[in-house]
Amino acid sequence: MILTVKHRLKPSASRRLAALRPQEPVEGSEPLSKTQRKKASDAVQALGEMLVSIEDYQLKKLALDEVLLDAVMQARSIRAHEGRRRQLQYIGKLMRSRDIEPLRLQLLDRDVLQKQENARMHAAEQWRIRLLGEPATLELWLATYCEAAGRDEMRSKLGVTIQAAQAPTSPGQLKAFRELYRVLHAGLLAHEQATLPEALAAPAEPTID
């Protein structure tokens, strides 16, 4: 599953996630064996590591309680190997006291988020083409995706960028071309975030190379 340009789940990781089903003893059955308990513990730990590896804004869209979310966010800020290892163990401990099957399914369903990102990237590219061909459509973009308070500043910024991207002899044309895409993509993402419930709003946008 792919979520952003920078953070990807390799196919093998996706298959591993699909197989991560922490086992619980069934009422009236034999207790889990040592091997089964180890597999269950590894499954929980792997899920915790995946939570730490994804982008902040993706994490906010998962149904995590406040304590677990805070623990994951702290792990993301730790650079020391030993400190990070201990924090991951703590996350695993927290998760073992929770029903993590819904979370596992949410992580598996991240391809939905990827489809949204693909659509966003496509929309940004289409708007770039449209604005370069019809600069007058800038007002439509501003009215649709930019809050009124920031429209004047954005109008000026995009206007300059569009002019630079249209100048074939300008040494900064390629840079302006890329910058136009970046601003449009960020605007689309910000607009989406503004329409989400506050608890799901993304704290940061993904990096687009």
Side-chain angles (χ1 to χ4, degrees):
M1 307 296 178
I2 303 172
L3 281 182
T4 69
V5 173
K6 293 186 71 175
H7 289 264
R8 299 168 182 260
L9 265 184
K10 297 179 180 179
S12 59
S14 297
R15 289 193 295 269
R16 186 165 70 99
L17 178 58
L20 293 179
R21 294 177 179 273
Q23 291 179 287
E24 297 292 342
V26 178
E27 186 176 354
S29 66
E30 293 291 328
L32 295 179
S33 67
K34 183 177 180 180
T35 299
Q36 289 174 321
R37 290 197 303 271
K38 178 65 165 59
K39 287 183 178 180
S41 177
D42 289 346
V44 172
Q45 201 67 36
L47 285 173
E49 291 174 7
M50 288 180 182
L51 290 177
V52 174
S53 72
I54 63 177
E55 295 278 5
D56 288 352
Y57 85 103
Q58 299 157 1
L59 187 65
K60 289 290 187 180
K61 293 185 178 183
L62 299 176
L64 302 184
D65 61 77
E66 185 176 351
V67 174
L68 181 55
L69 176 60
D70 182 62
V72 172
M73 296 298 288
Q74 287 186 38
R76 296 168 69 82
S77 66
I78 298 174
R79 295 292 177 264
H81 176 74
E82 182 59 23
R84 185 180 176 86
R85 185 187 68 81
R86 288 198 299 268
Q87 186 67 13
L88 285 172
Q89 288 182 333
Y90 173 62
I91 291 172
K93 180 180 179 180
L94 290 176
M95 294 179 69
R96 279 188 284 275
S97 65
R98 291 160 170 77
D99 177 12
I100 62 172
E101 179 61 10
L103 176 59
R104 187 186 73 87
L105 294 176
Q106 279 186 295
L107 288 170
L108 275 175
D109 199 38
R110 289 193 298 168
D111 61 325
V112 173
L113 298 180
Q114 178 56 35
K115 289 177 181 177
Q116 293 174 348
E117 171 62 10
N118 289 343
R120 189 181 305 121
M121 293 171 68
H122 177 72
E125 177 58 24
Q126 291 301 305
W127 271 107
R128 177 166 64 176
I129 293 172
R130 187 174 181 182
L131 288 170
L132 290 175
E134 304 174 66
T137 57
L138 174 58
E139 291 303 318
L140 175 59
W141 189 89
L142 290 170
T144 305
Y145 299 109
C146 187
E147 293 185 2
R151 284 178 190 168
D152 287 342
E153 180 180 354
M154 184 62 71
R155 180 182 293 109
S156 177
K157 181 177 183 178
L158 281 175
V160 171
T161 306
I162 290 171
Q163 288 182 357
Q166 289 176 318
T169 59
S170 171
Q173 182 190 29
L174 181 58
K175 181 179 179 180
F177 192 71
R178 291 173 174 170
E179 176 65 8
L180 179 57
Y181 174 86
R182 188 195 69 77
V183 173
L184 292 172
H185 181 277
L188 292 170
L189 180 60
H191 177 72
E192 290 176 17
Q193 293 173 4
T195 62
L196 289 174
E198 183 177 354
L200 296 180
E205 66 179 83
T207 301
I208 303 297
D209 295 329

